[in-house]
Amino acid sequence: MAISRRQFFLQATAAYAALHSIKANALSTALAETGLKDLYKDDFYLGTAIGASKLKAGSPDFLKLVSREFNAITMENDMKWERVNPTPGQWEWDLPDKFMAFGEQHEMYRLGHVLVWHSQVPSWVFENGKGKPASRKELLARMKNHINTLAGRYAGQMNAWDVVNEAVDEDKGWRKSPWFNIIGEDFMDYAFNFAHETDPKAHLLYNDYNMQNPAKREFVVDYIRKAKKRGVPIQGIGLQGHVGLGFPDIKEFEASIEAYAAEGMRVHVTEFDVDVLPVAWEFMGAEISTNFEYSDELNPYAKGMPAAIEQQLNDRYVEFFKLFLKHRDKIERITLWGTGDGESWKNDFPVIGRTNYPLLFDREYKRKACYNAVAALKQG
Protein backbone atom coordinates (compact mmCIF):
# COMPACT_ATOMS: atom_id res chain seq x y z
CA MET A 1 0.00 0.00 0.00
CA ALA A 2 1.39 3.38 -0.96
CA ILE A 3 2.19 5.79 1.86
CA SER A 4 2.17 9.55 1.79
CA ARG A 5 5.30 11.63 1.64
CA ARG A 6 4.61 12.81 5.20
CA GLN A 7 4.28 9.22 6.49
CA PHE A 8 7.51 8.26 4.74
CA PHE A 9 9.30 11.22 6.34
CA LEU A 10 7.98 10.34 9.82
CA GLN A 11 8.98 6.69 9.45
CA ALA A 12 12.45 7.61 8.20
CA THR A 13 12.91 10.06 11.07
CA ALA A 14 11.83 7.45 13.61
CA ALA A 15 14.21 4.89 12.09
CA TYR A 16 17.09 7.37 12.24
CA ALA A 17 16.30 8.23 15.86
CA ALA A 18 16.15 4.54 16.76
CA LEU A 19 19.50 3.90 15.07
CA HIS A 20 21.03 6.91 16.84
CA SER A 21 19.64 5.66 20.15
CA ILE A 22 21.11 2.19 19.56
CA LYS A 23 24.52 3.74 18.83
CA ALA A 24 24.30 5.98 21.90
CA ASN A 25 23.29 3.07 24.11
CA ALA A 26 26.09 0.94 22.69
CA LEU A 27 28.60 3.72 23.41
CA SER A 28 27.22 4.15 26.92
CA THR A 29 27.48 0.41 27.56
CA ALA A 30 31.02 0.30 26.19
CA LEU A 31 32.11 3.26 28.32
CA ALA A 32 30.62 1.66 31.41
CA GLU A 33 33.16 -1.12 30.98
CA THR A 34 36.00 0.89 29.43
CA GLY A 35 36.76 4.61 29.40
CA LEU A 36 38.34 7.57 27.68
CA LYS A 37 41.68 5.80 27.42
CA ASP A 38 40.07 3.27 25.09
CA LEU A 39 38.52 5.93 22.89
CA TYR A 40 41.88 7.73 22.57
CA LYS A 41 44.13 4.66 22.53
CA ASP A 42 45.29 5.32 18.96
CA ASP A 43 46.00 9.01 19.62
CA PHE A 44 47.94 9.50 22.87
CA TYR A 45 48.11 8.34 26.46
CA LEU A 46 45.40 9.79 28.67
CA GLY A 47 46.31 10.25 32.31
CA THR A 48 45.50 11.61 35.74
CA ALA A 49 47.43 12.70 38.82
CA ILE A 50 46.93 10.66 42.00
CA GLY A 51 47.23 12.25 45.44
CA ALA A 52 48.48 10.76 48.70
CA SER A 53 45.04 10.51 50.32
CA LYS A 54 43.75 8.29 47.51
CA LEU A 55 46.75 5.98 47.68
CA LYS A 56 46.59 5.79 51.48
CA ALA A 57 42.87 5.04 51.47
CA GLY A 58 43.23 2.50 48.68
CA SER A 59 39.58 3.03 47.74
CA PRO A 60 38.62 0.18 45.37
CA ASP A 61 35.95 2.29 43.62
CA PHE A 62 38.34 5.19 42.99
CA LEU A 63 41.19 2.98 41.83
CA LYS A 64 38.82 1.03 39.58
CA LEU A 65 37.64 4.29 38.01
CA VAL A 66 41.23 5.43 37.40
CA SER A 67 42.24 2.12 35.81
CA ARG A 68 39.10 2.14 33.65
CA GLU A 69 39.42 5.73 32.40
CA PHE A 70 43.17 6.33 32.19
CA ASN A 71 46.28 4.56 30.96
CA ALA A 72 48.81 7.01 32.41
CA ILE A 73 49.37 8.20 35.98
CA THR A 74 51.43 10.85 37.74
CA MET A 75 52.18 11.00 41.47
CA GLU A 76 50.84 14.39 42.53
CA ASN A 77 53.16 15.27 45.44
CA ASP A 78 54.81 12.31 47.10
CA MET A 79 57.83 12.03 44.85
CA LYS A 80 58.68 15.70 45.47
CA TRP A 81 61.82 16.22 47.52
CA GLU A 82 60.18 17.36 50.79
CA ARG A 83 57.96 14.27 50.83
CA VAL A 84 60.26 11.53 49.64
CA ASN A 85 63.54 12.77 51.21
CA PRO A 86 62.60 15.17 54.03
CA THR A 87 65.88 14.90 55.99
CA PRO A 88 69.36 13.71 54.98
CA GLY A 89 69.33 9.96 54.61
CA GLN A 90 65.59 9.62 55.28
CA TRP A 91 63.57 8.20 52.38
CA GLU A 92 59.81 7.66 52.41
CA TRP A 93 58.99 4.91 49.92
CA ASP A 94 55.57 3.69 50.99
CA LEU A 95 53.38 5.85 48.73
CA PRO A 96 55.75 5.95 45.73
CA ASP A 97 55.97 2.15 45.87
CA LYS A 98 52.15 1.87 45.97
CA PHE A 99 51.93 4.23 43.01
CA MET A 100 54.38 2.14 41.00
CA ALA A 101 52.67 -1.13 41.93
CA PHE A 102 49.27 0.21 40.89
CA GLY A 103 50.64 1.40 37.56
CA GLU A 104 52.41 -1.87 36.91
CA GLN A 105 49.32 -3.90 37.83
CA HIS A 106 47.26 -2.06 35.21
CA GLU A 107 50.07 -1.65 32.65
CA MET A 108 49.89 2.14 32.83
CA TYR A 109 52.34 4.76 31.62
CA ARG A 110 54.09 6.01 34.77
CA LEU A 111 55.44 9.56 35.07
CA GLY A 112 57.75 10.50 37.95
CA HIS A 113 57.20 14.02 39.25
CA VAL A 114 59.68 15.60 39.94
CA LEU A 115 63.48 15.28 40.29
CA VAL A 116 64.65 18.92 40.40
CA TRP A 117 62.42 21.85 41.38
CA HIS A 118 62.94 25.01 43.41
CA SER A 119 59.71 24.52 45.39
CA GLN A 120 58.77 21.87 47.96
CA VAL A 121 62.45 21.27 48.72
CA PRO A 122 63.69 21.12 52.35
CA SER A 123 65.96 24.04 53.29
CA TRP A 124 68.85 21.71 54.19
CA VAL A 125 69.27 20.82 50.52
CA PHE A 126 70.54 24.31 49.73
CA GLU A 127 72.58 24.79 52.94
CA ASN A 128 76.06 23.74 54.05
CA GLY A 129 75.05 22.51 57.51
CA LYS A 130 75.94 25.83 59.18
CA GLY A 131 73.00 27.85 57.87
CA LYS A 132 74.98 29.23 54.96
CA PRO A 133 74.35 28.50 51.27
CA ALA A 134 75.82 25.24 50.03
CA SER A 135 78.70 25.39 47.58
CA ARG A 136 78.27 24.49 43.92
CA LYS A 137 80.12 21.22 44.56
CA GLU A 138 77.92 20.34 47.55
CA LEU A 139 74.68 21.07 45.74
CA LEU A 140 75.66 19.14 42.62
CA ALA A 141 76.54 16.17 44.83
CA ARG A 142 73.11 16.36 46.52
CA MET A 143 71.37 16.62 43.18
CA LYS A 144 73.21 13.59 41.87
CA ASN A 145 72.56 11.54 44.99
CA HIS A 146 68.88 12.45 44.97
CA ILE A 147 68.44 11.52 41.32
CA ASN A 148 70.49 8.36 41.65
CA THR A 149 68.45 7.23 44.67
CA LEU A 150 64.95 8.19 43.49
CA ALA A 151 65.20 7.50 39.76
CA GLY A 152 67.50 4.57 40.50
CA ARG A 153 64.91 2.84 42.69
CA TYR A 154 62.50 2.72 39.75
CA ALA A 155 64.98 2.39 36.89
CA GLY A 156 63.52 0.30 34.11
CA GLN A 157 60.02 0.69 35.58
CA MET A 158 59.34 4.43 35.21
CA ASN A 159 58.36 5.43 31.69
CA ALA A 160 59.22 9.10 32.05
CA TRP A 161 60.46 11.74 34.50
CA ASP A 162 59.80 15.42 34.90
CA VAL A 163 63.51 15.99 35.36
CA VAL A 164 63.38 19.75 35.89
CA ASN A 165 60.26 21.75 36.74
CA GLU A 166 59.57 25.49 36.28
CA ALA A 167 63.12 26.75 35.78
CA VAL A 168 62.17 29.62 33.46
CA ASP A 169 60.70 32.85 34.86
CA GLU A 170 58.22 33.97 32.18
CA ASP A 171 59.96 36.52 29.93
CA LYS A 172 62.84 37.08 32.37
CA GLY A 173 64.96 34.10 31.39
CA TRP A 174 66.22 31.70 34.04
CA ARG A 175 64.37 31.70 37.35
CA LYS A 176 66.80 32.89 40.04
CA SER A 177 66.24 29.78 42.17
CA PRO A 178 68.84 28.31 44.55
CA TRP A 179 69.68 25.79 41.82
CA PHE A 180 70.53 28.59 39.42
CA ASN A 181 72.12 30.91 41.96
CA ILE A 182 74.45 28.27 43.41
CA ILE A 183 75.22 26.00 40.43
CA GLY A 184 74.59 28.30 37.48
CA GLU A 185 72.51 27.88 34.35
CA ASP A 186 74.16 24.54 33.58
CA PHE A 187 72.24 22.96 36.49
CA MET A 188 69.66 21.81 33.90
CA ASP A 189 72.33 20.01 31.89
CA TYR A 190 73.57 18.24 35.00
CA ALA A 191 70.05 17.17 36.02
CA PHE A 192 69.29 15.62 32.64
CA ASN A 193 72.68 13.93 32.42
CA PHE A 194 72.36 12.47 35.94
CA ALA A 195 68.85 11.21 35.15
CA HIS A 196 69.94 9.59 31.89
CA GLU A 197 72.94 7.94 33.53
CA THR A 198 70.66 6.57 36.25
CA ASP A 199 67.91 5.28 33.95
CA PRO A 200 68.87 5.30 30.26
CA LYS A 201 65.47 3.94 29.21
CA ALA A 202 63.35 6.67 30.84
CA HIS A 203 61.88 9.47 28.70
CA LEU A 204 63.17 12.77 30.13
CA LEU A 205 61.10 15.97 30.20
CA TYR A 206 61.36 19.63 31.03
CA ASN A 207 58.01 20.70 32.55
CA ASP A 208 56.65 24.23 33.04
CA TYR A 209 53.53 26.40 33.10
CA ASN A 210 52.58 29.21 30.68
CA MET A 211 54.55 27.44 27.98
CA GLN A 212 52.38 29.15 25.38
CA ASN A 213 53.92 32.49 26.37
CA PRO A 214 55.89 33.55 23.23
CA ALA A 215 58.91 34.86 25.16
CA LYS A 216 59.05 31.76 27.35
CA ARG A 217 58.65 29.54 24.30
CA GLU A 218 61.53 31.30 22.54
CA PHE A 219 63.78 30.93 25.58
CA VAL A 220 63.02 27.22 26.00
CA VAL A 221 63.49 26.52 22.28
CA ASP A 222 66.86 28.29 22.43
CA TYR A 223 67.87 26.15 25.41
CA ILE A 224 66.79 22.94 23.65
CA ARG A 225 68.85 23.76 20.56
CA LYS A 226 71.98 24.56 22.54
CA ALA A 227 71.51 21.65 24.97
CA LYS A 228 71.17 19.14 22.14
CA LYS A 229 74.46 20.38 20.66
CA ARG A 230 76.04 19.72 24.06
CA GLY A 231 74.58 16.20 24.05
CA VAL A 232 72.09 16.84 26.85
CA PRO A 233 69.49 14.02 26.75
CA ILE A 234 66.35 16.17 26.88
CA GLN A 235 63.62 14.29 24.99
CA GLY A 236 60.28 15.90 25.80
CA ILE A 237 58.53 19.07 26.89
CA GLY A 238 55.68 19.21 29.39
CA LEU A 239 53.09 21.94 28.90
CA GLN A 240 51.24 22.11 32.20
CA GLY A 241 47.96 23.16 30.62
CA HIS A 242 46.34 25.04 33.50
CA VAL A 243 43.84 26.96 31.36
CA GLY A 244 40.66 28.93 31.93
CA LEU A 245 37.49 29.63 30.01
CA GLY A 246 39.05 32.69 28.40
CA PHE A 247 42.78 32.10 28.60
CA PRO A 248 45.26 31.39 27.10
CA ASP A 249 44.96 32.13 23.41
CA ILE A 250 44.68 28.62 21.99
CA LYS A 251 46.60 29.73 18.89
CA GLU A 252 49.64 30.42 21.08
CA PHE A 253 49.20 27.03 22.74
CA GLU A 254 49.22 25.42 19.31
CA ALA A 255 52.26 27.44 18.27
CA SER A 256 54.13 26.04 21.27
CA ILE A 257 53.17 22.44 20.45
CA GLU A 258 54.51 22.97 16.95
CA ALA A 259 57.66 24.81 18.07
CA TYR A 260 58.75 22.21 20.63
CA ALA A 261 57.95 19.33 18.29
CA ALA A 262 60.01 21.00 15.57
CA GLU A 263 63.03 20.69 17.89
CA GLY A 264 62.54 16.93 18.11
CA MET A 265 60.69 17.00 21.42
CA ARG A 266 57.75 14.74 22.24
CA VAL A 267 55.02 16.98 23.65
CA HIS A 268 53.22 16.16 26.89
CA VAL A 269 50.28 18.15 28.26
CA THR A 270 51.07 17.34 31.86
CA GLU A 271 48.64 19.05 34.24
CA PHE A 272 45.50 19.88 32.29
CA ASP A 273 42.47 21.47 33.96
CA VAL A 274 40.01 24.25 33.06
CA ASP A 275 39.40 26.98 35.65
CA VAL A 276 35.82 28.32 35.52
CA LEU A 277 36.23 30.98 38.23
CA PRO A 278 37.20 34.66 37.98
CA VAL A 279 40.91 35.45 37.95
CA ALA A 280 41.89 36.37 41.52
CA TRP A 281 45.63 36.92 41.69
CA GLU A 282 45.26 40.17 43.64
CA PHE A 283 43.63 38.19 46.46
CA MET A 284 46.30 35.48 46.54
CA GLY A 285 46.50 33.79 49.92
CA ALA A 286 43.25 35.29 51.14
CA GLU A 287 40.53 33.29 52.92
CA ILE A 288 37.21 34.20 51.36
CA SER A 289 35.10 32.88 54.26
CA THR A 290 36.36 35.77 56.38
CA ASN A 291 35.98 38.38 53.63
CA PHE A 292 32.31 38.60 52.79
CA GLU A 293 32.84 41.66 50.61
CA TYR A 294 34.34 39.65 47.81
CA SER A 295 33.17 36.11 48.54
CA ASP A 296 30.31 36.28 46.03
CA GLU A 297 32.58 37.81 43.44
CA LEU A 298 35.36 35.24 43.77
CA ASN A 299 33.25 32.19 44.62
CA PRO A 300 30.17 32.66 42.44
CA TYR A 301 29.30 28.97 41.91
CA ALA A 302 29.41 27.60 45.45
CA LYS A 303 26.13 25.74 44.87
CA GLY A 304 26.87 24.55 41.36
CA MET A 305 27.67 25.80 37.89
CA PRO A 306 25.00 27.69 35.96
CA ALA A 307 24.07 26.01 32.68
CA ALA A 308 25.75 28.76 30.65
CA ILE A 309 29.08 28.29 32.45
CA GLU A 310 28.87 24.52 32.12
CA GLN A 311 28.37 24.95 28.38
CA GLN A 312 31.45 27.17 28.22
CA LEU A 313 33.40 24.49 30.10
CA ASN A 314 32.24 21.84 27.64
CA ASP A 315 33.17 24.03 24.69
CA ARG A 316 36.62 24.75 26.13
CA TYR A 317 37.37 21.05 26.67
CA VAL A 318 36.23 20.29 23.14
CA GLU A 319 38.33 23.13 21.73
CA PHE A 320 41.48 21.83 23.38
CA PHE A 321 40.88 18.16 22.67
CA LYS A 322 40.29 18.97 19.01
CA LEU A 323 43.67 20.70 19.07
CA PHE A 324 45.27 17.67 20.74
CA LEU A 325 43.77 15.36 18.11
CA LYS A 326 44.98 17.63 15.34
CA HIS A 327 48.54 17.24 16.66
CA ARG A 328 48.33 13.63 17.82
CA ASP A 329 51.50 12.86 15.84
CA LYS A 330 53.45 15.22 18.11
CA ILE A 331 51.74 14.50 21.44
CA GLU A 332 52.75 11.64 23.72
CA ARG A 333 50.35 12.16 26.61
CA ILE A 334 47.52 14.30 28.01
CA THR A 335 47.29 14.18 31.81
CA LEU A 336 44.51 15.77 33.87
CA TRP A 337 45.71 17.27 37.16
CA GLY A 338 43.36 15.21 39.29
CA THR A 339 40.32 13.06 38.67
CA GLY A 340 37.31 14.60 40.47
CA ASP A 341 36.52 18.28 41.09
CA GLY A 342 36.68 17.90 44.86
CA GLU A 343 40.37 16.97 44.84
CA SER A 344 41.49 19.76 42.50
CA TRP A 345 44.05 22.31 43.73
CA LYS A 346 41.99 24.91 41.88
CA ASN A 347 39.50 24.96 44.78
CA ASP A 348 42.09 26.75 46.93
CA PHE A 349 44.40 28.56 44.54
CA PRO A 350 45.09 31.41 44.47
CA VAL A 351 42.25 32.07 46.96
CA ILE A 352 41.42 29.61 49.73
CA GLY A 353 37.89 28.23 49.98
CA ARG A 354 36.58 28.61 46.44
CA THR A 355 34.46 25.99 44.69
CA ASN A 356 35.81 25.11 41.26
CA TYR A 357 34.81 22.60 38.57
CA PRO A 358 37.92 22.10 36.41
CA LEU A 359 37.96 18.35 35.76
CA LEU A 360 36.02 15.67 33.88
CA PHE A 361 34.42 14.09 36.96
CA ASP A 362 32.33 15.79 39.64
CA ARG A 363 32.81 15.62 43.41
CA GLU A 364 31.13 12.22 43.52
CA TYR A 365 33.32 10.97 40.65
CA LYS A 366 30.44 10.92 38.21
CA ARG A 367 31.07 11.78 34.59
CA LYS A 368 30.31 15.40 33.80
CA ALA A 369 28.90 16.87 30.61
CA CYS A 370 32.44 17.89 29.59
CA TYR A 371 33.47 14.22 29.87
CA ASN A 372 30.67 13.30 27.47
CA ALA A 373 31.72 16.10 25.13
CA VAL A 374 35.32 14.84 25.05
CA ALA A 375 34.09 11.26 24.53
CA ALA A 376 31.80 12.37 21.71
CA LEU A 377 34.79 13.58 19.69
CA LYS A 378 35.73 9.92 19.23
CA GLN A 379 32.27 8.44 18.76
CA GLY A 380 32.41 8.54 14.99
Side-chain angles (χ1 to χ4, degrees):
M1 181 177 68
I3 61 174
S4 68
R5 182 179 298 178
R6 181 174 180 277
Q7 287 175 314
F8 175 80
F9 175 77
L10 291 173
Q11 289 177 9
T13 301
Y16 176 82
L19 179 61
H20 182 75
S21 176
I22 290 170
K23 287 184 175 180
N25 289 335
L27 177 68
S28 178
T29 300
L31 283 175
E33 300 173 357
T34 59
L36 283 182
K37 74 177 191 306
D38 301 289
L39 292 176
Y40 284 85
K41 62 183 174 62
D42 296 325
D43 305 305
F44 35 69
Y45 289 102
L46 198 61
T48 186
I50 302 180
S53 63
K54 296 300 180 183
L55 282 173
K56 287 177 181 176
S59 168
D61 290 341
F62 173 81
L63 295 177
K64 182 178 179 180
L65 181 148
V66 169
S67 63
R68 182 189 71 210
E69 298 289 347
F70 303 104
N71 53 14
I73 51 173
T74 299
M75 172 128 271
E76 188 178 30
N77 281 301
D78 286 81
M79 285 187 185
K80 292 175 181 175
W81 202 313
E82 69 176 9
R83 300 284 185 91
V84 74
N85 183 202
T87 62
Q90 177 189 356
W91 291 88
E92 301 293 340
W93 297 119
D94 182 51
L95 293 176
D97 284 353
K98 287 182 179 178
F99 168 85
M100 294 299 291
F102 175 72
E104 184 176 5
Q105 177 187 357
H106 296 284
E107 300 181 337
M108 304 172 97
Y109 187 103
R110 297 178 285 280
L111 185 285
H113 179 76
V114 53
L115 293 174
V116 175
W117 189 25
H118 65 277
S119 185
Q120 293 184 251
V121 180
S123 59
W124 63 265
V125 174
F126 301 119
E127 296 175 355
N128 65 358
K130 299 179 181 179
K132 301 292 184 180
S135 68
R136 170 183 162 92
K137 183 178 179 180
E138 286 174 318
L139 191 53
L140 277 172
R142 284 186 188 140
M143 177 197 284
K144 183 175 184 178
N145 178 67
H146 184 81
I147 292 173
N148 286 350
T149 305
L150 179 52
R153 185 177 181 87
Y154 305 117
Q157 304 171 58
M158 190 73 79
N159 297 91
W161 279 100
D162 285 333
V163 177
V164 178
N165 197 47
E166 300 175 2
V168 181
D169 191 6
E170 300 308 307
D171 57 354
K172 302 174 185 177
W174 292 109
R175 181 185 299 276
K176 303 307 183 288
S177 71
W179 296 110
F180 177 88
N181 291 337
I182 295 173
I183 296 174
E185 66 181 64
D186 60 345
F187 84 90
M188 281 259 289
D189 289 15
Y190 277 103
F192 276 93
N193 284 322
F194 291 154
H196 184 65
E197 290 165 7
T198 302
D199 188 357
K201 294 183 179 180
H203 184 65
L204 305 181
L205 313 180
Y206 172 67
N207 186 57
D208 210 335
Y209 60 87
N210 288 352
M211 292 289 272
Q212 72 284 340
N213 178 318
K216 197 166 194 173
R217 176 172 66 232
E218 182 178 351
F219 186 88
V220 173
V221 165
D222 182 66
Y223 169 76
I224 293 168
R225 288 173 180 169
K226 292 175 179 176
K228 286 171 65 179
K229 290 180 180 179
R230 295 191 294 268
V232 177
I234 181 171
Q235 298 151 347
I237 292 292
L239 289 74
Q240 288 187 10
H242 298 298
V243 308
L245 297 179
F247 66 89
D249 182 346
I250 197 167
K251 292 180 180 179
E252 294 295 352
F253 204 97
E254 180 175 27
S256 287
I257 292 174
E258 294 173 332
Y260 301 133
E263 300 304 319
M265 299 293 102
R266 292 296 291 167
V267 174
H268 300 242
V269 180
T270 58
E271 304 179 18
F272 194 76
D273 48 29
V274 182
D275 194 335
V276 303
L277 297 183
V279 175
W281 288 106
E282 65 270 33
F283 299 97
M284 188 170 182
E287 167 59 75
I288 64 170
S289 64
T290 60
N291 293 271
F292 298 104
E293 301 148 1
Y294 59 86
S295 62
D296 289 344
E297 176 187 350
L298 298 183
N299 193 31
Y301 315 130
K303 296 181 180 179
M305 277 188 296
I309 298 300
E310 184 168 25
Q311 186 59 56
Q312 289 182 50
L313 177 64
N314 299 350
D315 293 344
R316 192 63 161 160
Y317 261 104
V318 167
E319 183 179 31
F320 269 94
F321 268 78
K322 282 184 175 179
L323 176 67
F324 301 153
L325 287 169
K326 177 181 177 181
H327 293 287
R328 70 191 79 182
D329 61 318
K330 306 173 185 68
I331 294 175
E332 184 82 6
R333 173 178 56 96
I334 309 295
T335 289
L336 283 294
W337 203 241
T339 304
D341 287 337
E343 67 191 68
S344 173
W345 71 295
K346 283 293 186 178
N347 291 302
D348 291 310
F349 186 85
V351 178
I352 297 171
R354 298 204 294 176
T355 306
N356 216 321
Y357 306 86
L359 298 168
L360 295 175
F361 294 84
D362 66 17
R363 282 166 168 75
E364 296 178 351
Y365 294 99
K366 295 178 181 176
R367 292 165 173 170
K368 291 164 55 178
C370 54
Y371 174 103
N372 296 330
V374 169
L377 293 175
K378 297 294 293 183
Q379 285 183 27

